[in-house]
Each structure stands twice: as structure tokens, then as C-alpha cells.
Amino acid sequence: QVQLVESGGGLVQAGGSLRLSCVASGSIFSINAMGWYRQAPGKQRELVASITSGGSTGYADSVKGRFTISRDSAKNTVYLQMNSLKPEDTAAYYCNADIRSILSSYPRAYWGQGTQVTVSS
């Protein structure tokens, strides 16, 4: 009953920018932290950036100064602005959110289906 849908991925040259969006919809009671993960072929999924309901943010060292996470709580949406992209940023990017549905007493993690980001050199 809760869905996360990402958009905004694509192919970009090194040094370029992309903006990812993720909208949560369905039977939502509340959303706590939201974040973005990525997984490159043959590698483990890693946390890229996160943002709490209060707006506190955290970033992986590899993206600090280049990526910015933000959220619009009124729209149940989280964004990832990616600047100065590098070929090593190529991966499938997944949205994650800690959501309590109206059918549950406790929050749990939900995942989007992923959006591909490819950075060419």
C-alpha cells in the first residue's frame, strides 16, 4: 500500500549534473528518514545520502561537496542533486524511506525500484 517511485536517472558526461526524485505514495501515516543508496555491478549497495524528518543530512565521503539531498515533506518527496558527476558514480540509485503506514503501528523500510545513472568519461 506504500510505494516509492524514483525518476531522473539517465546518461550524462563526466562533470555533468542530474537530479533524482523519489515520491512516496499510498497509505502513509508518517515518514521518518529518507535516503538514497546506489549499487554498481558487482558491488554491494551503499548509502549515498540521508535526510531526517527534521532536515539533518548525511553523506558518503565519496559524494560530499558534490551531491545534495533535500526533501519536500508536503509532497512526500526526496531529491538528490548530483553535480560534478564522475564515471565512478555510475550505478543504479535506489530511494529508501522509513515509513509508518496507516495500517501499521510501527514504521518499516520501503524501497523504490531504482533508477540507472550512467556517467561517461
Side-chain angles (χ1 to χ4, degrees):
Q1 296 92 347
V2 174
Q3 284 188 319
L4 298 180
V5 179
E6 302 106 332
S7 61
L11 174 64
V12 64
Q13 288 189 332
S17 299
L18 284 174
R19 188 193 195 207
L20 305 183
S21 300
C22 171
V23 181
S25 63
S27 306
I28 296 171
F29 180 81
S30 62
I31 303 178
N32 300 317
M34 305 183 81
W36 289 94
Y37 287 72
R38 68 186 181 187
Q39 187 168 20
K43 294 188 177 181
Q44 289 189 330
R45 190 172 295 190
E46 63 174 353
L47 176 63
V48 175
S50 64
I51 184 167
T52 68
S53 56
S56 296
T57 59
Y59 298 92
D61 287 343
S62 59
V63 307
K64 281 181 181 177
R66 300 188 298 121
F67 291 9
T68 302
I69 189 170
S70 61
R71 67 190 284 175
D72 184 334
S73 296
K75 297 181 178 180
N76 291 339
T77 301
V78 63
Y79 306 96
L80 186 67
Q81 178 66 44
M82 305 185 293
N83 298 328
S84 302
L85 283 161
K86 303 175 181 180
E88 51 262 45
D89 295 318
T90 296
Y93 283 71
Y94 297 89
C95 175
N96 169 270
D98 189 50
I99 298 174
R100 179 185 166 189
S101 80
I102 62 175
L103 303 176
S104 176
S105 299
Y106 305 98
R108 74 167 184 90
Y110 289 85
W111 292 89
Q113 81 287 352
T115 186
Q116 180 67 34
V117 172
T118 302
V119 184
S120 63
S121 57

